[in-house]
Each structure stands twice: as structure tokens, then as C-alpha cells.
Amino acid sequence: MISSKLIYLAILSSLPISTLANTYAECQKPKAQGYQLQGCPNGTLYVSQTDPQAGYGTIQSAIQGLPNDNSTQYILVGSGNYHEVVNVTRQGPLTIMGITSSPSDYTSNTVKLFNSSFINQTSQTTSQDNADAVVLTISPSRNASLVGSGPLGAPLQTLFGSSDFRLYNIDVANRATVNGIEYTAGDTGPSAALFVSYANASFYECTFSSYQDTLYVGRNGSAIFVGGEITGTTDFIYGFGTAYFQNTTLSSRNTGGGLVAWKGSEQWYGPNTFGAYFNNSKIVKAADANATLDLTGTRALGRPWNNQSRVVYMNTYMSDIVLPQGFVEWSSSDPRVFPNVTHFIESGSYGPGYNASARNYSIESFISSEEAKNQYSVSKVFGEFPSWVDSNYVYN
Ligand SMILES: *[C@@H]1O[C@H](CO)[C@@H](O)[C@H](O)[C@H]1NC(C)=O
Ligand SMILES: *[C@@H]1O[C@H](CO)[C@@H](O)[C@H](O)[C@H]1NC(C)=O
Ligand SMILES: *[C@@H]1O[C@H](CO)[C@@H](O)[C@H](O)[C@H]1NC(C)=O
Ligand SMILES: *[C@@H]1O[C@H](CO)[C@@H](O)[C@H](O)[C@H]1NC(C)=O
Ligand SMILES: *[C@@H]1O[C@H](CO)[C@@H](O)[C@H](O)[C@H]1NC(C)=O
Ligand SMILES: *[C@@H]1O[C@H](CO)[C@@H](O)[C@H](O)[C@H]1NC(C)=O
Ligand SMILES: *[C@@H]1O[C@H](CO)[C@@H](O)[C@H](O)[C@H]1NC(C)=O
Ligand SMILES: *[C@@H]1O[C@H](CO)[C@@H](O)[C@H](O)[C@H]1NC(C)=O
Ligand SMILES: *[C@@H]1O[C@H](CO)[C@@H](O)[C@H](O)[C@H]1NC(C)=O
Ligand SMILES: *[C@@H]1O[C@H](CO)[C@@H](O)[C@H](O)[C@H]1NC(C)=O
Ligand SMILES: *[C@@H]1O[C@H](CO)[C@@H](O)[C@H](O)[C@H]1NC(C)=O
Ligand SMILES: *[C@@H]1O[C@H](CO)[C@@H](O)[C@H](O)[C@H]1NC(C)=O
């Protein structure tokens, strides 16, 4: 007879094991006054709006307190609302963590970083760029972060932003206010929560919210997002670089453009391996969208910022807000869709917004999960499993 202990062990080992280890859970735990930064890497700087023992009251002042070198640095941010703009220009690895008792649940985040700005495209001057209305920028300089008249011809290798930036459990919002009121009626113009250019950056259970053009991964930018939520309206995920999303919720506050507008390589940029990739993600109406606004069947999965656009959705839940035809042209007068040049792809989509018979197969294609793994796993997209991510969270 088999002992009950053996049966118990057999049952235990057949249960699915949650492999998610929250790397900095101990460090991120709420701190009492008179704290010790227990569980935090040595030398961690502490930012708090309420604790007099913290060395810094704003996130940007702590960043300015770091040496401008290649050393690895850590910043822990106490609970609170931080009304500021944050730029990370240093090259060395930097990890910023928000205090939380639930690191694997972004809805429990206690650190909110926000500012309010947008580019009015009607009155925009030639010196203004989308890069001037951003809350969190990871880029070596303003020049390097420009979307428009940026340093296109500059030798790419001469610009180095962060080699390894990591953000945990922080909500980043651009509130795009007009006369002090959040402009919820539609788009004000480009208004970003996040910019990444000439840098490698990863984000764990963070949220990025705004309206138009919320999240940008630009020239020589590589970014990986795990968990969390991206919220916006028109083209709210856009860029030229490489952005990979795992287990991320895409939330729409309104219609306009596509969920994604991506641009592929330019001549000077080498082979086009750039794009926006989603695995195990979710497309929904934002919880804070106008409740009576009917978004059913309105949201295009993506549109081509240029004809070398690449956008891939894998194993993604699509609520009924998704446009039945899936992807769209840029516009009817300027379609920008070229066979075998533009890559709009789905694999394993499911949910009421996945309408297989209505999809526009002349501009997108479906691939099997095997093909998706062979072509669009993290290692395939980045050429190798990136050294600059937290492998407790990122899967291949
Ligand atoms: C961190 O600091 C403690 C106390 O000063 C020291 O014992 C430990 O070796 C340090 N750890 C590392 C990884 O530097
Ligand atoms: C960081 O390291 C790189 C490569 O070793 C070097 O070229 C660069 O000058 C260093 N940056 C700083 C700010 O020290
Ligand atoms: C930050 O927001 C304030 C309004 O709260 C605005 O005046 C300022 O221009 C914004 N800064 C940036 C760099 O976007
Ligand atoms: C950094 O922040 C300031 C506003 O505080 C902004 O003017 C500047 O362009 C930002 N970007 C970079 C990459 O330094
Ligand atoms: C930014 O680019 C402009 C135009 O190319 C150039 O004149 C300026 O010197 C650059 N600034 C920096 C800090 O590199
Ligand atoms: C920019 O991209 C080019 C082409 O992929 C690459 O060779 C170069 O190392 C990248 N530069 C930086 C700063 O990441
Ligand atoms: C980003 O990481 C890649 C390796 O994955 C490296 O070649 C590149 O130089 C890094 N970029 C920066 C700005 O450090
Ligand atoms: C943008 O600028 C135009 C022209 O100056 C103005 O009429 C409009 O109200 C501005 N939009 C917003 C959202 O401020
Ligand atoms: C919400 O949407 C309804 C229907 O589209 C519209 O009539 C109403 O003005 C909107 N409310 C706000 C606050 O934008
Ligand atoms: C696209 O590529 C496939 C496979 O390489 C090829 O069979 C097809 O003819 C190409 N289509 C066009 C329009 O070039
Ligand atoms: C997507 O995620 C699942 C894990 O849930 C994994 O098995 C699969 O290989 C991933 N797909 C790709 C293309 O990485
Ligand atoms: C992502 O989702 C997959 C499938 O639902 C799950 O197995 C995995 O643990 C999740 N990863 C994270 C980091 O949440």
C-alpha cells in the first residue's frame, strides 16, 4: 500500500507551479518610519514625500544624485503621487522600484508618477517635437529622443542611453490637461507617458496612461513590458524601435487611428527586425472610459506608420471593441501596405473581437503557434535572450 505521504507528494508535484518570483519583493515592502532598507541592494537610494529619513523627495532628484557612469544603481520610491517629469540619461544600469506589498498585481501599485502636457498639432512650431510632452524619458539626450527632425543621419553607434533600465510597480500618467482639466473628450495631440530611445529598458507591472500616443519606443530603443497596462486613444503604442509585451492589457479610452502605429527600418538602420510584439495580452475598453461611449468594433489592431511596419499579436484576448477586419491601412489615400514588406500578423487570437471570417487577409496573415515561436519569441526578436531583463519575469 502506498503511504498517504507519498500520494500527497505525488499530488503536490503534479500541480502547476507558479514560477513567478518577485525579485525585489522584500525591498519593495512598505517601510515603517525609521526604516532600514531591508532586502534592498546595497546603496539603494530612497525617495519619499513623507519620510524625513529619505534622502530625496522627488524621483528626478534621486536620479541626479547618481554618478554619471556605468555603475549599477537602485532607487526605491515610497508610496505617493509624484507630479514631475523624469529623465534617465545615464548609461549605467538603473533599477527603480515602487513600494508595494503586491509586486505581481499592478492594480495595487502605490507609486503614481504624472505630469500634464501635449503637443497641439494645430499650432505646433518647428522647434516642438512629441519628445517635449513626455512624463518618463529613457534617452541619452533630447536630441536623441526626437521623433520628427531627430538626428536621422547621426552615426547610431555614437549615441548611448541606458544599457539596462528597469522599472517595477510604478504608474506613469500624462494627464494632458487643458485649463487644468483632464481632456477626456478626445485627443489633444501627442501626449506621452513613456519615451525610450537609444536605450534598453524593461518594465514590470507598470502602467502607462494618456490619450493620443501614450507609449513610444524610438530610434535604437529596445523595450520589454511584463504585465501592467497601457491606456490611450489614437495610435497609443507607436515607434521605430523594438517593443515586446508579455501579459499586458491594452486599454482604449476612445477610438482613433490604431492601437499600434509602427515604423520599420530606414535605409540607414540596417535590416528591419524592428516591430511591436504582444504575447498573452488583452485588448479591452478602459475601465475609466466614458461608460456610455460604445467602442464595439471600432479599434484597429494597428496601422502602418510606414510600409515596413511590423506588428504581431500572439495568444491575445480580443474583446468586442476590436475592429472585425483587424488591421487597417494608414488611410485610403495613403495606404502604406506592401505585400511582404508590411508585416501584420496574428497567432492564437481569441475572444469576441477575433472575427476570423471578417479579417482583411490582403493586409494581414495568420501563423501557427509553432511559427510564432520560431520567429517571434523574445530571443528571435532580439537576436538572443536579452541580458538586460529580469529573467524571473520575462519568458522566452
Ligand atoms: C552589503 O553590505 C553589507 C553590510 O555592509 C555587507 O555585509 C555585504 O557584503 C554587502 N553586500 C554586497 C553584495 O556588497
Ligand atoms: C560606459 O562603458 C562604455 C563601454 O565600456 C564606455 O564607452 C563609456 O564611455 C562608459 N560610459 C561612461 C559614462 O563612463
Ligand atoms: C509638466 O506639466 C506642467 C503642468 O502641470 C506643464 O506646465 C509642463 O510643461 C510639463 N512639463 C513637461 C516637460 O512636459
Ligand atoms: C528632460 O526633461 C526636460 C524637462 O524637465 C525636457 O525639457 C528635456 O527635453 C527632457 N529630455 C531629455 C531626454 O533630457
Ligand atoms: C541637437 O541637434 C541640433 C540640430 O542637429 C544641433 O544643432 C545641436 O547642437 C544638438 N544638441 C546637442 C546637445 O547635441
Ligand atoms: C543601434 O542599432 C544598430 C543596428 O541594429 C546597432 O548596431 C547599434 O549597436 C545600436 N546602438 C545602440 C546604442 O544600441
Ligand atoms: C542594448 O542591448 C544590446 C544587447 O542586447 C546591446 O548590443 C546594445 O548596445 C544595448 N544598447 C545600449 C544603449 O546599451
Ligand atoms: C490647439 O490650437 C488651436 C489653434 O491655436 C486651438 O484652437 C485649439 O483649441 C488648441 N487645442 C487644444 C486642445 O488646446
Ligand atoms: C460620453 O459619451 C456620450 C455618448 O458618446 C456623450 O454623449 C457624452 O458627451 C460623453 N461624456 C463625456 C464626459 O465625454
Ligand atoms: C511574398 O513572399 C512569399 C513567400 O516568400 C512569396 O511566395 C510571394 O510570392 C510573395 N508575394 C509578393 C507579392 O511578393
Ligand atoms: C507566448 O507565451 C507562452 C507562455 O504562456 C509561451 O509558451 C509561448 O512560447 C510564447 N510565444 C512566443 C512566440 O514567445
Ligand atoms: C503570463 O501569462 C502566462 C499564461 O497565462 C502565465 O503562465 C505566466 O505566468 C504569466 N507571467 C507573468 C510574469 O505574469
PDB file of all heavy atoms in Angstrom, residues 152-178:
ATOM      1  N   LEU A 152      18.642  62.036 -37.676  1.00  0.00           N
ATOM      2  CA  LEU A 152      18.492  60.873 -38.545  1.00  0.00           C
ATOM      3  C   LEU A 152      19.814  60.387 -39.120  1.00  0.00           C
ATOM      4  O   LEU A 152      20.058  59.201 -39.229  1.00  0.00           O
ATOM      5  CB  LEU A 152      17.545  61.206 -39.703  1.00  0.00           C
ATOM      6  CG  LEU A 152      16.065  61.201 -39.373  1.00  0.00           C
ATOM      7  CD1 LEU A 152      15.256  61.764 -40.528  1.00  0.00           C
ATOM      8  CD2 LEU A 152      15.606  59.796 -39.048  1.00  0.00           C
ATOM      9  N   GLY A 153      20.668  61.344 -39.507  1.00  0.00           N
ATOM     10  CA  GLY A 153      21.900  60.951 -40.168  1.00  0.00           C
ATOM     11  C   GLY A 153      23.026  60.609 -39.207  1.00  0.00           C
ATOM     12  O   GLY A 153      24.069  60.123 -39.615  1.00  0.00           O
ATOM     13  N   ALA A 154      22.819  60.846 -37.916  1.00  0.00           N
ATOM     14  CA  ALA A 154      23.907  60.643 -36.950  1.00  0.00           C
ATOM     15  C   ALA A 154      24.310  59.176 -36.920  1.00  0.00           C
ATOM     16  O   ALA A 154      23.465  58.299 -36.999  1.00  0.00           O
ATOM     17  CB  ALA A 154      23.457  61.069 -35.567  1.00  0.00           C
ATOM     18  N   PRO A 155      25.610  58.904 -36.818  1.00  0.00           N
ATOM     19  CA  PRO A 155      26.018  57.506 -36.696  1.00  0.00           C
ATOM     20  C   PRO A 155      25.413  56.934 -35.428  1.00  0.00           C
ATOM     21  O   PRO A 155      25.628  57.471 -34.339  1.00  0.00           O
ATOM     22  CB  PRO A 155      27.542  57.577 -36.618  1.00  0.00           C
ATOM     23  CG  PRO A 155      27.923  59.009 -36.650  1.00  0.00           C
ATOM     24  CD  PRO A 155      26.701  59.851 -36.705  1.00  0.00           C
ATOM     25  N   LEU A 156      24.613  55.869 -35.566  1.00  0.00           N
ATOM     26  CA  LEU A 156      23.845  55.375 -34.432  1.00  0.00           C
ATOM     27  C   LEU A 156      24.720  54.970 -33.262  1.00  0.00           C
ATOM     28  O   LEU A 156      24.376  55.183 -32.113  1.00  0.00           O
ATOM     29  CB  LEU A 156      23.022  54.164 -34.883  1.00  0.00           C
ATOM     30  CG  LEU A 156      21.919  54.508 -35.876  1.00  0.00           C
ATOM     31  CD1 LEU A 156      21.363  53.256 -36.497  1.00  0.00           C
ATOM     32  CD2 LEU A 156      20.829  55.288 -35.174  1.00  0.00           C
ATOM     33  N   GLN A 157      25.855  54.398 -33.569  1.00  0.00           N
ATOM     34  CA  GLN A 157      26.706  53.866 -32.506  1.00  0.00           C
ATOM     35  C   GLN A 157      27.260  54.946 -31.587  1.00  0.00           C
ATOM     36  O   GLN A 157      27.794  54.642 -30.537  1.00  0.00           O
ATOM     37  CB  GLN A 157      27.866  53.052 -33.088  1.00  0.00           C
ATOM     38  CG  GLN A 157      27.444  51.718 -33.692  1.00  0.00           C
ATOM     39  CD  GLN A 157      26.770  51.857 -35.051  1.00  0.00           C
ATOM     40  OE1 GLN A 157      26.646  52.951 -35.584  1.00  0.00           O
ATOM     41  NE2 GLN A 157      26.309  50.753 -35.590  1.00  0.00           N
ATOM     42  N   THR A 158      27.166  56.206 -31.982  1.00  0.00           N
ATOM     43  CA  THR A 158      27.730  57.247 -31.131  1.00  0.00           C
ATOM     44  C   THR A 158      26.772  57.666 -30.027  1.00  0.00           C
ATOM     45  O   THR A 158      27.141  58.467 -29.180  1.00  0.00           O
ATOM     46  CB  THR A 158      28.130  58.492 -31.947  1.00  0.00           C
ATOM     47  OG1 THR A 158      26.934  59.035 -32.501  1.00  0.00           O
ATOM     48  CG2 THR A 158      29.102  58.141 -33.051  1.00  0.00           C
ATOM     49  N   LEU A 159      25.538  57.179 -30.067  1.00  0.00           N
ATOM     50  CA  LEU A 159      24.582  57.582 -29.045  1.00  0.00           C
ATOM     51  C   LEU A 159      24.277  56.404 -28.118  1.00  0.00           C
ATOM     52  O   LEU A 159      23.829  55.354 -28.571  1.00  0.00           O
ATOM     53  CB  LEU A 159      23.275  58.047 -29.700  1.00  0.00           C
ATOM     54  CG  LEU A 159      23.367  59.340 -30.503  1.00  0.00           C
ATOM     55  CD1 LEU A 159      22.117  59.529 -31.337  1.00  0.00           C
ATOM     56  CD2 LEU A 159      23.568  60.521 -29.576  1.00  0.00           C
ATOM     57  N   PHE A 160      24.537  56.572 -26.836  1.00  0.00           N
ATOM     58  CA  PHE A 160      24.277  55.503 -25.873  1.00  0.00           C
ATOM     59  C   PHE A 160      23.487  56.016 -24.679  1.00  0.00           C
ATOM     60  O   PHE A 160      24.010  56.770 -23.866  1.00  0.00           O
ATOM     61  CB  PHE A 160      25.585  54.881 -25.377  1.00  0.00           C
ATOM     62  CG  PHE A 160      26.216  53.966 -26.391  1.00  0.00           C
ATOM     63  CD1 PHE A 160      27.228  54.429 -27.216  1.00  0.00           C
ATOM     64  CD2 PHE A 160      25.770  52.664 -26.529  1.00  0.00           C
ATOM     65  CE1 PHE A 160      27.803  53.592 -28.166  1.00  0.00           C
ATOM     66  CE2 PHE A 160      26.339  51.813 -27.483  1.00  0.00           C
ATOM     67  CZ  PHE A 160      27.360  52.283 -28.301  1.00  0.00           C
ATOM     68  N   GLY A 161      22.252  55.580 -24.589  1.00  0.00           N
ATOM     69  CA  GLY A 161      21.476  55.841 -23.384  1.00  0.00           C
ATOM     70  C   GLY A 161      21.657  54.671 -22.441  1.00  0.00           C
ATOM     71  O   GLY A 161      22.658  53.949 -22.516  1.00  0.00           O
ATOM     72  N   SER A 162      20.671  54.430 -21.598  1.00  0.00           N
ATOM     73  CA  SER A 162      20.817  53.372 -20.593  1.00  0.00           C
ATOM     74  C   SER A 162      21.026  52.012 -21.240  1.00  0.00           C
ATOM     75  O   SER A 162      20.296  51.620 -22.146  1.00  0.00           O
ATOM     76  CB  SER A 162      19.583  53.320 -19.698  1.00  0.00           C
ATOM     77  OG  SER A 162      19.816  52.373 -18.676  1.00  0.00           O
ATOM     78  N   SER A 163      22.011  51.287 -20.745  1.00  0.00           N
ATOM     79  CA  SER A 163      22.258  49.932 -21.253  1.00  0.00           C
ATOM     80  C   SER A 163      21.281  48.948 -20.616  1.00  0.00           C
ATOM     81  O   SER A 163      21.101  47.842 -21.115  1.00  0.00           O
ATOM     82  CB  SER A 163      23.686  49.511 -20.940  1.00  0.00           C
ATOM     83  OG  SER A 163      23.888  49.536 -19.542  1.00  0.00           O
ATOM     84  N   ASP A 164      20.631  49.365 -19.509  1.00  0.00           N
ATOM     85  CA  ASP A 164      19.794  48.425 -18.762  1.00  0.00           C
ATOM     86  C   ASP A 164      18.973  49.203 -17.732  1.00  0.00           C
ATOM     87  O   ASP A 164      19.407  49.412 -16.603  1.00  0.00           O
ATOM     88  CB  ASP A 164      20.722  47.403 -18.076  1.00  0.00           C
ATOM     89  CG  ASP A 164      19.969  46.339 -17.279  1.00  0.00           C
ATOM     90  OD1 ASP A 164      18.806  46.566 -16.902  1.00  0.00           O
ATOM     91  OD2 ASP A 164      20.576  45.287 -17.010  1.00  0.00           O
ATOM     92  N   PHE A 165      17.801  49.665 -18.162  1.00  0.00           N
ATOM     93  CA  PHE A 165      16.918  50.392 -17.240  1.00  0.00           C
ATOM     94  C   PHE A 165      15.751  49.482 -16.883  1.00  0.00           C
ATOM     95  O   PHE A 165      15.149  48.859 -17.764  1.00  0.00           O
ATOM     96  CB  PHE A 165      16.391  51.674 -17.896  1.00  0.00           C
ATOM     97  CG  PHE A 165      15.380  52.390 -17.040  1.00  0.00           C
ATOM     98  CD1 PHE A 165      15.795  53.159 -15.966  1.00  0.00           C
ATOM     99  CD2 PHE A 165      14.008  52.261 -17.277  1.00  0.00           C
ATOM    100  CE1 PHE A 165      14.868  53.792 -15.140  1.00  0.00           C
ATOM    101  CE2 PHE A 165      13.079  52.885 -16.457  1.00  0.00           C
ATOM    102  CZ  PHE A 165      13.517  53.660 -15.387  1.00  0.00           C
ATOM    103  N   ARG A 166      15.417  49.381 -15.583  1.00  0.00           N
ATOM    104  CA  ARG A 166      14.289  48.525 -15.166  1.00  0.00           C
ATOM    105  C   ARG A 166      13.369  49.304 -14.220  1.00  0.00           C
ATOM    106  O   ARG A 166      13.846  49.963 -13.301  1.00  0.00           O
ATOM    107  CB  ARG A 166      14.792  47.273 -14.438  1.00  0.00           C
ATOM    108  CG  ARG A 166      15.789  46.488 -15.279  1.00  0.00           C
ATOM    109  CD  ARG A 166      16.271  45.218 -14.598  1.00  0.00           C
ATOM    110  NE  ARG A 166      17.425  44.684 -15.337  1.00  0.00           N
ATOM    111  CZ  ARG A 166      17.963  43.486 -15.163  1.00  0.00           C
ATOM    112  NH1 ARG A 166      17.469  42.664 -14.251  1.00  0.00           N
ATOM    113  NH2 ARG A 166      18.999  43.108 -15.863  1.00  0.00           N
ATOM    114  N   LEU A 167      12.077  49.214 -14.466  1.00  0.00           N
ATOM    115  CA  LEU A 167      11.098  49.912 -13.628  1.00  0.00           C
ATOM    116  C   LEU A 167      10.082  48.897 -13.117  1.00  0.00           C
ATOM    117  O   LEU A 167       9.539  48.117 -13.899  1.00  0.00           O
ATOM    118  CB  LEU A 167      10.378  50.980 -14.457  1.00  0.00           C
ATOM    119  CG  LEU A 167       9.469  51.941 -13.697  1.00  0.00           C
ATOM    120  CD1 LEU A 167      10.313  52.959 -12.920  1.00  0.00           C
ATOM    121  CD2 LEU A 167       8.542  52.705 -14.649  1.00  0.00           C
ATOM    122  N   TYR A 168       9.826  48.924 -11.811  1.00  0.00           N
ATOM    123  CA  TYR A 168       8.884  47.977 -11.200  1.00  0.00           C
ATOM    124  C   TYR A 168       7.755  48.714 -10.488  1.00  0.00           C
ATOM    125  O   TYR A 168       8.003  49.599  -9.663  1.00  0.00           O
ATOM    126  CB  TYR A 168       9.586  47.122 -10.130  1.00  0.00           C
ATOM    127  CG  TYR A 168      10.623  46.172 -10.669  1.00  0.00           C
ATOM    128  CD1 TYR A 168      11.894  46.625 -11.001  1.00  0.00           C
ATOM    129  CD2 TYR A 168      10.345  44.821 -10.832  1.00  0.00           C
ATOM    130  CE1 TYR A 168      12.862  45.758 -11.494  1.00  0.00           C
ATOM    131  CE2 TYR A 168      11.304  43.944 -11.318  1.00  0.00           C
ATOM    132  CZ  TYR A 168      12.551  44.419 -11.650  1.00  0.00           C
ATOM    133  OH  TYR A 168      13.502  43.552 -12.140  1.00  0.00           O
ATOM    134  N   ASN A 169       6.511  48.329 -10.781  1.00  0.00           N
ATOM    135  CA  ASN A 169       5.349  48.757  -9.999  1.00  0.00           C
ATOM    136  C   ASN A 169       5.215  50.262  -9.843  1.00  0.00           C
ATOM    137  O   ASN A 169       5.027  50.772  -8.731  1.00  0.00           O
ATOM    138  CB  ASN A 169       5.387  48.101  -8.602  1.00  0.00           C
ATOM    139  CG  ASN A 169       5.332  46.584  -8.682  1.00  0.00           C
ATOM    140  OD1 ASN A 169       6.351  45.909  -8.539  1.00  0.00           O
ATOM    141  ND2 ASN A 169       4.155  46.054  -8.926  1.00  0.00           N
ATOM    142  N   ILE A 170       5.298  50.959 -10.956  1.00  0.00           N
ATOM    143  CA  ILE A 170       5.022  52.400 -10.918  1.00  0.00           C
ATOM    144  C   ILE A 170       4.008  52.728 -12.010  1.00  0.00           C
ATOM    145  O   ILE A 170       4.089  52.209 -13.121  1.00  0.00           O
ATOM    146  CB  ILE A 170       6.330  53.229 -11.060  1.00  0.00           C
ATOM    147  CG1 ILE A 170       7.218  52.964  -9.820  1.00  0.00           C
ATOM    148  CG2 ILE A 170       6.029  54.719 -11.232  1.00  0.00           C
ATOM    149  CD1 ILE A 170       8.441  53.837  -9.668  1.00  0.00           C
ATOM    150  N   ASP A 171       3.008  53.560 -11.664  1.00  0.00           N
ATOM    151  CA  ASP A 171       2.007  54.017 -12.624  1.00  0.00           C
ATOM    152  C   ASP A 171       2.466  55.357 -13.183  1.00  0.00           C
ATOM    153  O   ASP A 171       2.698  56.294 -12.413  1.00  0.00           O
ATOM    154  CB  ASP A 171       0.649  54.222 -11.927  1.00  0.00           C
ATOM    155  CG  ASP A 171       0.022  52.903 -11.469  1.00  0.00           C
ATOM    156  OD1 ASP A 171       0.429  51.836 -11.986  1.00  0.00           O
ATOM    157  OD2 ASP A 171      -0.868  52.946 -10.597  1.00  0.00           O
ATOM    158  N   VAL A 172       2.576  55.439 -14.504  1.00  0.00           N
ATOM    159  CA  VAL A 172       3.057  56.664 -15.144  1.00  0.00           C
ATOM    160  C   VAL A 172       1.926  57.219 -16.009  1.00  0.00           C
ATOM    161  O   VAL A 172       1.421  56.523 -16.896  1.00  0.00           O
ATOM    162  CB  VAL A 172       4.297  56.375 -16.021  1.00  0.00           C
ATOM    163  CG1 VAL A 172       4.855  57.669 -16.605  1.00  0.00           C
ATOM    164  CG2 VAL A 172       5.369  55.625 -15.227  1.00  0.00           C
ATOM    165  N   ALA A 173       1.528  58.449 -15.742  1.00  0.00           N
ATOM    166  CA  ALA A 173       0.395  59.013 -16.488  1.00  0.00           C
ATOM    167  C   ALA A 173       0.708  60.400 -17.019  1.00  0.00           C
ATOM    168  O   ALA A 173       1.295  61.228 -16.317  1.00  0.00           O
ATOM    169  CB  ALA A 173      -0.844  59.088 -15.589  1.00  0.00           C
ATOM    170  N   ASN A 174       0.326  60.640 -18.260  1.00  0.00           N
ATOM    171  CA  ASN A 174       0.302  62.006 -18.769  1.00  0.00           C
ATOM    172  C   ASN A 174      -1.158  62.405 -18.783  1.00  0.00           C
ATOM    173  O   ASN A 174      -1.969  61.806 -19.497  1.00  0.00           O
ATOM    174  CB  ASN A 174       0.914  62.098 -20.173  1.00  0.00           C
ATOM    175  CG  ASN A 174       1.180  63.553 -20.532  1.00  0.00           C
ATOM    176  OD1 ASN A 174       0.438  64.445 -20.090  1.00  0.00           O
ATOM    177  ND2 ASN A 174       2.208  63.803 -21.299  1.00  0.00           N
ATOM    178  N   ARG A 175      -1.509  63.397 -17.970  1.00  0.00           N
ATOM    179  CA  ARG A 175      -2.923  63.737 -17.817  1.00  0.00           C
ATOM    180  C   ARG A 175      -3.431  64.704 -18.871  1.00  0.00           C
ATOM    181  O   ARG A 175      -4.622  65.013 -18.905  1.00  0.00           O
ATOM    182  CB  ARG A 175      -3.181  64.261 -16.398  1.00  0.00           C
ATOM    183  CG  ARG A 175      -2.907  63.158 -15.378  1.00  0.00           C
ATOM    184  CD  ARG A 175      -3.282  63.535 -13.964  1.00  0.00           C
ATOM    185  NE  ARG A 175      -3.024  62.416 -13.069  1.00  0.00           N
ATOM    186  CZ  ARG A 175      -2.978  62.513 -11.745  1.00  0.00           C
ATOM    187  NH1 ARG A 175      -3.167  63.677 -11.158  1.00  0.00           N
ATOM    188  NH2 ARG A 175      -2.741  61.444 -11.020  1.00  0.00           N
ATOM    189  N   ALA A 176      -2.519  65.209 -19.726  1.00  0.00           N
ATOM    190  CA  ALA A 176      -2.933  66.004 -20.883  1.00  0.00           C
ATOM    191  C   ALA A 176      -4.061  66.988 -20.556  1.00  0.00           C
ATOM    192  O   ALA A 176      -5.091  67.015 -21.226  1.00  0.00           O
ATOM    193  CB  ALA A 176      -3.368  65.070 -22.020  1.00  0.00           C
ATOM    194  N   THR A 177      -3.868  67.781 -19.530  1.00  0.00           N
ATOM    195  CA  THR A 177      -4.954  68.682 -19.136  1.00  0.00           C
ATOM    196  C   THR A 177      -5.011  69.938 -20.002  1.00  0.00           C
ATOM    197  O   THR A 177      -4.004  70.417 -20.510  1.00  0.00           O
ATOM    198  CB  THR A 177      -4.814  69.127 -17.668  1.00  0.00           C
ATOM    199  OG1 THR A 177      -3.522  69.697 -17.500  1.00  0.00           O
ATOM    200  CG2 THR A 177      -4.986  67.975 -16.721  1.00  0.00           C
ATOM    201  N   VAL A 178      -6.220  70.455 -20.167  1.00  0.00           N
ATOM    202  CA  VAL A 178      -6.443  71.729 -20.846  1.00  0.00           C
ATOM    203  C   VAL A 178      -7.130  72.617 -19.817  1.00  0.00           C
ATOM    204  O   VAL A 178      -8.162  72.231 -19.273  1.00  0.00           O
ATOM    205  CB  VAL A 178      -7.343  71.540 -22.085  1.00  0.00           C
ATOM    206  CG1 VAL A 178      -7.664  72.885 -22.724  1.00  0.00           C
ATOM    207  CG2 VAL A 178      -6.670  70.613 -23.091  1.00  0.00           C
TER     208      VAL A 178
END
